[in-house]
Amino acid sequence: VSIITKDAIERCCGRNGQNTTIRTEILAGITTFLTMAYIIFVNPNILADAGMDRGAVFVATCLAAAVGCFIMGIYARLPVALAPGMGLNAFFTYGVVLGMGYTWQTALGAVFLSGCIFVFLSLFKIREWVITAIPNSLKQGIVAGIGAFLAFIALKSSGIIVANEATFVSLGDLQQFSPMMAALGFFLIIGLVYRNIPGAVTIGILAVSVIAVITGNVAFEGVMSMPPAIAPTFLQLDIAGAFDVGMISVIFAFLFVDLFDTSGTLIGVTNKAGLVDKNGDIPNLDKALLADSTATVAGSLLGTSSTTSFVESTAGVAAGGRTGLMAVTVGVLFLLSIFFAPLAGMIPAYATAGAIFYVSVLMLYTLKDIDWEDLTEAAPVAVVLLMTPLTYSIADGISLGFITYTVVKVLTGKFNQVSVAVWALTIILLAKIVFL
């Protein structure tokens, strides 16, 4: 029976020519899950601010992650785990719903449309053209801008920075419980990550939550129960509303960030796993992209923001993961997580703030790859980096970055470096600002 099971698993999830075992793949999956389990606490907290039912979002998060992992593991056969992505969930809530005034149903419709476009790009192999057409500096700037956006959200939600009539923002009262706990969580996560402790982010979130329960700031409601109802968010998306002209930049933002994030993650994870061929090509790349885009569509139907590949998959690869079985294992663990809704419901915003700030630190690393000596490359990056958090919108940050890139290149005589795709996007985004 064990031989039949082993053969069935290898036929299902592949071996990719790697010297690995089922036990190694399962342990690698557990390792990966521990490093990214924080999303089941963070995502419901963020989307709840948009007016969505926290329990339903919790279930949708777990199910969307499981769907993505299963497709990636069985169809693409790669050791890459998926879940609703950080940054895009914040943009969903604070940019689209609270910032632009759209309903969360319409925002889900935009996620659905961006996922459908991603599926189209994956099926017809247009992805390569889109990615190569976008300047690398803008790609890096977008990632860093999202990192700055997340940092701003974490600091604001925890009370470390507060509104100020004279200066817009100022330092909050750091003697209050919320900012102290957020800072403690961040420092604890950094210390644990530095020591390579598996599940460092999740441990940091849970540690702060335990302190909150002990001190009476949060009521203990249990650890396990039957899953909450997903009905409040299931199939509640408003696709017609997402066709509003003002949502064009939002859909593009969801699409571009998901596309760049997925591509970068796949390159990083497969390189670390030694799965790329001698030409540097990723095996089953088209299938992997299709898995990611399909998971985004499924997530929007379930009731969560864009689902994407998680760079935390490198932790599982470091533990020996080389096949799709690792991703399938992560998917199974996400399914089991739906029974821990009471635990997720007790996690306060300041407990996840430290984790969000930590993620922002990771995203700012892309700034090291920018050619700061070339003003035509540095200026657009600076615009995206600063305007994304200051406008409280990833879409506005991206739009202003593209416009700056094109204008600067033209004024400095480097207009030949502006691709047709960038010209087209610049005209569309500029028209939106001028006429809408």
Side-chain angles (χ1 to χ4, degrees):
V1 176
S2 61
I3 295 177
I4 296 175
T5 303
K6 180 179 179 181
D7 289 342
I9 290 175
E10 290 181 359
R11 284 197 301 272
C12 176
C13 303
R15 283 289 297 272
N16 294 321
Q18 299 297 316
N19 182 22
T20 184
T21 64
I22 292 176
R23 179 178 181 275
T24 298
E25 295 298 312
I26 292 176
L27 290 177
I30 294 173
T31 301
T32 301
F33 175 77
L34 290 175
T35 62
M36 58 187 290
Y38 66 86
I39 196 64
I40 66 177
F41 306 125
V42 177
N43 202 51
N45 271 357
I46 291 178
L47 297 191
D49 286 347
M52 300 179 71
D53 182 88
R54 190 187 303 270
V57 173
F58 168 77
V59 176
T61 299
C62 295
L63 293 180
V67 169
C69 289
F70 289 151
I71 298 175
M72 182 68 76
I74 298 173
Y75 182 60
R77 297 186 173 188
L78 290 175
V80 179
L82 297 88
M86 289 296 297
L88 288 174
N89 52 6
F91 175 52
F92 180 102
T93 293
Y94 306 110
V96 181
V97 178
L98 299 182
M100 300 174 69
Y102 288 100
T103 65
W104 59 263
Q105 290 92 340
T106 300
L108 281 179
V111 172
F112 174 83
L113 292 178
S114 71
C116 289
I117 296 173
F118 197 172
V119 170
F120 175 82
L121 296 178
S122 302
L123 285 174
F124 293 94
K125 304 182 185 298
I126 307 174
R127 178 201 68 92
E128 289 80 1
W129 178 79
V130 174
I131 291 180
T132 55
I134 306 301
N136 189 60
S137 58
L138 276 180
K139 296 175 191 174
Q140 307 294 358
I142 290 171
V143 175
I146 294 173
F149 182 51
L150 287 175
F152 191 75
I153 289 171
L155 295 173
K156 177 177 176 291
S157 66
S158 61
I160 293 178
I161 59 172
V162 295
N164 185 297
E165 291 185 3
T167 61
F168 288 104
V169 294
S170 61
L171 188 66
D173 184 357
L174 300 185
Q175 295 182 4
Q176 294 296 314
F177 188 79
S178 176
M180 283 196 299
M181 289 298 99
L184 174 63
F186 173 69
F187 295 142
L188 181 59
I189 289 169
I190 293 296
L192 293 173
V193 170
Y194 185 79
R195 288 169 173 76
N196 296 315
I197 305 298
V201 179
T202 303
I203 292 173
I205 293 174
L206 293 177
V208 171
S209 300
V210 168
I211 294 175
V213 171
I214 293 175
T215 56
N217 286 276
V218 171
F220 180 74
E221 299 177 356
V223 176
M224 296 184 66
S225 71
M226 293 301 293
I230 195 176
T233 61
F234 182 61
L235 296 181
Q236 296 301 308
L237 65 169
D238 180 7
I239 299 176
F243 278 102
D244 183 85
V245 176
M247 290 293 283
I248 293 176
S249 61
V250 171
I251 294 172
F252 273 121
F254 280 133
L255 173 63
F256 284 151
V257 175
D258 196 5
L259 184 61
F260 298 153
D261 188 40
T262 298
S263 300
T265 298
L266 289 173
I267 292 171
V269 174
T270 53
N271 266 288
K272 188 175 181 64
L275 298 177
V276 295
D277 61 24
K278 60 182 179 181
N279 297 319
D281 295 326
I282 299 174
N284 297 330
L285 175 60
D286 291 340
K287 292 182 178 180
L289 291 171
L290 195 57
D292 194 294
S293 53
T294 303
T296 290
V297 173
S300 68
L301 298 175
L302 292 167
T304 184
S305 51
S306 301
T307 302
T308 188
S309 302
F310 264 57
V311 72
E312 283 85 350
S313 301
T314 54
V317 168
R322 294 294 182 274
T323 74
L325 180 56
M326 186 189 97
V328 171
T329 301
V330 177
V332 171
L333 292 174
F334 269 116
L335 281 182
L336 294 176
S337 297
I338 65 175
F339 296 101
F340 291 86
L343 178 61
M346 289 189 297
I347 306 297
Y350 50 78
T352 58
I356 295 173
F357 198 82
Y358 163 71
V359 173
S360 75
V361 172
L362 297 183
M363 300 183 78
L364 289 170
Y365 83 97
T366 58
L367 293 175
K368 68 181 177 61
D369 297 323
I370 303 301
D371 182 5
W372 295 103
E373 299 297 324
D374 184 350
L375 280 177
T376 65
E377 296 291 326
V381 172
V383 169
V384 177
L385 175 65
L386 296 173
M387 296 305 290
T388 298
L390 292 180
T391 60
Y392 223 62
S393 170
I394 293 175
D396 289 340
I398 292 176
S399 298
L400 294 172
F402 270 96
I403 294 170
T404 301
Y405 183 89
T406 302
V407 172
V408 167
K409 290 293 184 181
V410 170
L411 292 178
T412 56
K414 297 184 177 182
F415 54 85
N416 61 314
Q417 296 181 11
V418 182
S419 67
V420 175
V422 174
W423 268 114
L425 286 171
T426 299
I427 293 172
I428 293 172
L429 296 172
L430 189 59
K432 177 180 178 294
I433 292 175
V434 174
F435 298 110
L436 296 180

